[in-house]
């Protein structure tokens, strides 16, 4: 895979404090690839900053959530014929070096969906809050149960998505995208890989996981994951006929 | 619930509602957050239908009711639930279409802004902009 055929999408929601630094850092680290910020209807100065800095961006007229924002990026990559899409969080959790490292790893790794994993090397979730830690371990175990290999970082926003899975990702309606996408694609027979990257605390802004979400998120995601597996099996059976 | 027919009706309708909700959620026609309360209610209904006949006292009032009245109440409750599911399903479909529209608008708007910027600048852009044919990946 050539990095010239790669689109790097950075989903951002109210990230005025860091978005310019994050986007230009990634752009400078991987000059071969194209960078596009997907602004998820920010209410702060994020779009103005992007415009001022000359960073290409697509602005959703209203807040659609992370899953839909990633689908917008997938739609864009598919429409323009890119070979791969790299997603990196807009809050600065991933260093440009990590994004580059993952991009370079994707040239040799044939996985359809390659995750920049913070836990692959250490398998130590102690840095995450307790509620999230339980969720991460549960969904990590679930990926091993459904797919051929266990994924240790199901919530990473840094990933390489190959064009082979664009259509599949646009067909399913994700609530959260992370674990659902992994399990759905694994159930369809696509390969999921992990590449070890560093972990950095978010620089500014507010996490999308609120205390209420830490209760509702696992329930919704578990339901959607189970349905995604059922849907994938039905789809495979239909295609086999 | 006293009457075996009421129990059978409650159990059957709970199963039908759960299957319908799961099918709608799977097909993207009902948001999972809307569907979950109905799944919980359906599970509770199925549990009530399977409950042993020796109820605790607080269920005694329900036991006192006659079979046909119970059946009518069960039917009415499920009718109301089905109506809510239908309305929420329509809402989900409209929300899905709106989200799709918002995605397309975002990509088109980015392309328009880029074209404008290109026209204002004499040098061609270094990078691809969303929705811009000139920005197709280089091989």
């Amino acid at each position: 895979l050539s990095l010239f055929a790669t689109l790097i999408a950075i989903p951002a929601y109210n990230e005025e404090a860091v978005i310019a630094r994050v986007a230009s850092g990634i752009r400078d680290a991987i000059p071969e690839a194209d960078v596009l910020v997907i602004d998820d209807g920010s209410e702060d100065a994020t779009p103005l900053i992007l415009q001022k800095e000359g960073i290409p961006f697509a602005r959703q007229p209203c807040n659609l959530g992370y899953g839909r924002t990633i689908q917008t990026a997938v739609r864009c990559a598919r429409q323009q014929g890119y070979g791969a899409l790299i997603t990196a969080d807009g809050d600065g959790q991933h260093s440009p070096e990590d994004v580059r490292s993952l991009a370079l790893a994707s040239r040799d790794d044939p996985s359809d969906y390659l995750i920049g994993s913070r836990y692959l090397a250490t398998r130590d979730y102690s840095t995450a809050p307790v509620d999230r830690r339980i969720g991460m371990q549960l969904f990590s175990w679930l990926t091993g149960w459904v797919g051929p290999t266990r994924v240790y970082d199901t919530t990473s926003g840094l990933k390489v998505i190959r064009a082979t899975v664009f259509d599949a990702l646009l067909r399913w309606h994700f609530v959260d995208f992370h674990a659902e996408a992994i399990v759905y694609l694994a159930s369809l027979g696509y390969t999921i890989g992990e590449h070890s990257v560093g972990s950095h605390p978010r620089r500014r802004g507010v996490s999308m996981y609120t205390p209420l979400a830490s209760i509702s998120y696992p329930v919704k995601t578990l339901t959607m994951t189970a349905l995604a597996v059922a849907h994938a099996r039905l789809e495979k059976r239909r295609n086999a006929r | 619930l006293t009457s075996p027919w009421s129990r059978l009706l409650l159990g059957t309708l709970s199963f039908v509602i759960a299957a319908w909700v799961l099918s709608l959620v799977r097909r993207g026609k009902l948001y999972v957050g809307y569907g979950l309360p109905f799944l919980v209610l359906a599970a509770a209904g199925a549990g009530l239908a399977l409950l042993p006949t020796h109820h605790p006292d607080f269920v005694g009032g329900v036991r006192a009711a006659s079979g046909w009245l119970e059946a009518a109440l069960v039917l009415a409750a499920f009718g109301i639930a089905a109506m809510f599911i239908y309305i929420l399903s329509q809402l989900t479909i409209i929300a899905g279409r709106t989200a799709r529209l918002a995605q397309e608008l975002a990509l088109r708007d980015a392309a328009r802004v880029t074209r404008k910027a290109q026209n204002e600048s004499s040098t061609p852009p270094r990078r691809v902009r969303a929705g811009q044919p000139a920005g197709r990946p280089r091989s």
Side-chain angles (χ1 to χ4, degrees):
Chain A
L1 176 72
S2 164
L3 291 181
F4 285 114
T6 302
L7 174 68
I8 301 173
I10 306 169
Y13 176 64
N14 291 346
E15 300 287 1
E16 63 179 6
V18 291
I19 193 63
R21 193 170 34 179
V22 169
S24 28
I26 291 173
R27 189 169 63 177
D28 295 341
I30 313 171
E32 311 96 314
D34 297 315
V35 174
L36 178 73
V37 175
I38 313 282
D39 175 32
D40 189 14
S42 294
E43 289 154 9
D44 64 1
T46 300
L48 294 175
I49 289 168
L50 291 168
Q51 204 165 11
K52 193 178 154 197
E53 296 290 326
I55 297 164
F57 70 101
R59 177 166 164 76
Q60 294 176 166
C62 54
N63 183 249
L64 299 180
Y66 182 78
R68 294 272 191 192
T69 305
I70 294 293
Q71 276 188 325
T72 303
V74 172
R75 210 175 285 286
C76 178
R78 185 180 174 276
Q79 278 175 8
Q80 300 213 17
Y82 283 94
L85 168 72
I86 297 177
T87 64
D89 289 347
D91 57 11
Q93 281 194 56
H94 313 295
S95 70
E97 293 74 33
D98 282 338
V99 181
R100 179 158 186 87
S101 157
L102 183 71
L104 293 175
S106 73
R107 293 193 301 189
D108 305 319
D109 192 317
S111 300
D112 296 300
Y113 192 90
L114 182 64
I115 299 161
S117 176
R118 299 159 291 179
Y119 306 113
L120 180 65
T122 61
R123 295 180 191 182
D124 175 20
Y125 298 89
S126 60
T127 49
V130 177
D131 52 344
R132 285 192 64 192
R133 198 185 312 166
I134 295 167
M136 282 173 175
Q137 285 175 320
L138 170 70
F139 288 113
S140 171
W141 171 82
L142 196 65
T143 56
W145 187 57
V146 173
T149 49
R150 182 171 171 172
V151 172
Y152 288 92
D153 192 355
T154 57
T155 56
S156 175
L158 179 60
K159 45 202 169 256
V160 180
I161 303 169
R162 281 184 191 267
T164 45
V165 295
F166 285 171
D167 284 338
L169 290 176
L170 291 174
R171 273 200 302 273
W172 185 248
H173 40 280
F174 297 98
V175 168
D176 183 70
F177 198 86
H178 296 302
E180 281 175 70
I182 296 167
V183 170
Y184 177 60
L185 293 176
S187 301
L188 282 172
Y190 292 109
T191 50
I192 313 291
E194 272 186 294
H195 172 76
S196 193
V197 295
S199 174
H200 311 275
R202 56 185 294 116
R203 288 179 180 172
R204 294 283 288 272
V206 182
S207 169
M208 63 182 183
Y209 298 105
T210 60
L212 180 66
S214 65
I215 300 166
S216 62
Y217 166 78
V219 179
K220 283 184 198 171
T221 308
L222 265 180
T223 310
M224 287 306 290
T225 304
L227 290 173
V229 172
H231 188 78
R233 288 189 180 162
L234 283 172
E235 207 169 299
K236 270 177 89 176
R237 199 177 299 170
R238 207 176 300 135
N239 292 342
R241 276 183 204 154
Chain B
L1 294 174
T2 50
S3 152
W5 289 109
S6 300
R7 285 165 166 270
L8 186 65
L9 186 67
L10 183 64
T12 310
L13 287 179
S14 297
F15 177 78
V16 169
I17 287 280
W20 186 36
V21 167
L22 285 173
S23 166
L24 285 173
V25 174
R26 184 181 70 79
R27 287 181 291 142
K29 293 186 173 177
L30 183 66
Y31 170 59
V32 66
Y34 297 154
L36 279 174
F38 292 102
L39 289 177
V40 172
L41 284 178
L48 201 63
L50 296 170
L51 209 68
T53 45
H54 299 292
H55 300 295
D57 285 343
F58 67 89
V59 196
V62 181
R63 290 189 65 183
S66 62
W68 67 268
L69 184 61
E70 283 176 1
L73 283 172
V74 166
L75 271 176
F78 276 90
I80 292 167
M83 199 176 68
F84 269 108
I85 292 168
Y86 177 75
I87 292 167
L88 290 171
S89 167
Q90 295 304 306
L91 199 65
T92 305
I93 292 168
I94 293 167
R97 287 177 186 166
T98 310
R100 178 68 201 273
L101 183 66
Q103 289 178 322
E104 291 295 338
L105 283 174
L107 296 175
R108 283 185 190 194
D109 191 45
R112 188 181 55 80
V113 169
T114 306
R115 271 197 298 272
K116 193 178 165 193
Q118 266 183 310
N119 291 340
E120 285 169 3
S121 163
S122 56
T123 52
R126 193 164 67 96
R127 281 166 209 290
V128 167
R129 265 66 167 171
Q132 177 194 348
R136 292 185 71 85
R138 296 143 286 185
S139 56

